[in-house]
Amino acid sequence: MPLTGKERRHLRALGHHLEPVVIVGSSGVTEGVIAAIEQALNDHELIKVKINEGPEGRHEAADRLAEATGSELAQLLGRTALFFKRRKQKSHFEDILKGPHEPRPAPKPAEEAKPRRR
């Protein structure tokens, strides 16, 4: 299920404050790294991964990780990747990523504007 632009943007906002939970070392993408990312995705659904210099570039490593774990790459900024994989049960993101988002309420009409003091 590919993410829409709005969903991707919302996930980037939610993931901004997160710290990387997995670090891909100089060995690159290994089975151990994939297992650690799968476990972290199962626990948190939205995670950051730090991709250090290795045998493959950061874009190739991020794409390979997303494919191997069945997750979506929400963002790749520098050497930090943001991955998302919704749980089948008890997902924290059910309400957030469900269908079209509610429109913001219209601003209330301003009652008579009071003159500003200087």
Side-chain angles (χ1 to χ4, degrees), residues 15-96:
H16 175 73
H17 72 283
L18 298 177
E19 293 293 322
V21 294
V22 178
I23 298 175
V24 178
S26 60
S27 301
V29 179
T30 63
E31 292 300 318
V33 170
I34 292 171
I37 291 175
E38 284 178 339
Q39 181 62 46
L41 284 168
N42 189 37
D43 294 342
H44 304 288
E45 296 182 275
L46 183 66
I47 63 167
K48 274 189 181 176
V49 175
K50 179 80 171 181
I51 303 171
N52 289 330
E53 297 264 350
E56 24 185 39
R58 60 191 174 97
H59 293 284
E60 293 84 14
D63 291 339
R64 190 167 158 210
L65 287 170
E67 184 179 330
T69 59
S71 62
E72 292 287 330
L73 178 64
Q75 181 181 32
L76 179 63
L77 186 62
R79 297 203 162 273
T80 305
L82 184 68
F83 292 100
F84 173 72
K85 184 176 181 182
R86 187 181 308 179
R87 277 190 228 127
K88 304 233 186 285
Q89 297 175 347
K90 297 183 180 179
S91 175
H92 296 289
F93 293 89
E94 285 298 322
D95 298 337
I96 296 171

Side-chain angles (χ1 to χ4, degrees), residues 102-108:
E102 293 291 322
R104 291 185 177 178
K108 295 179 182 178

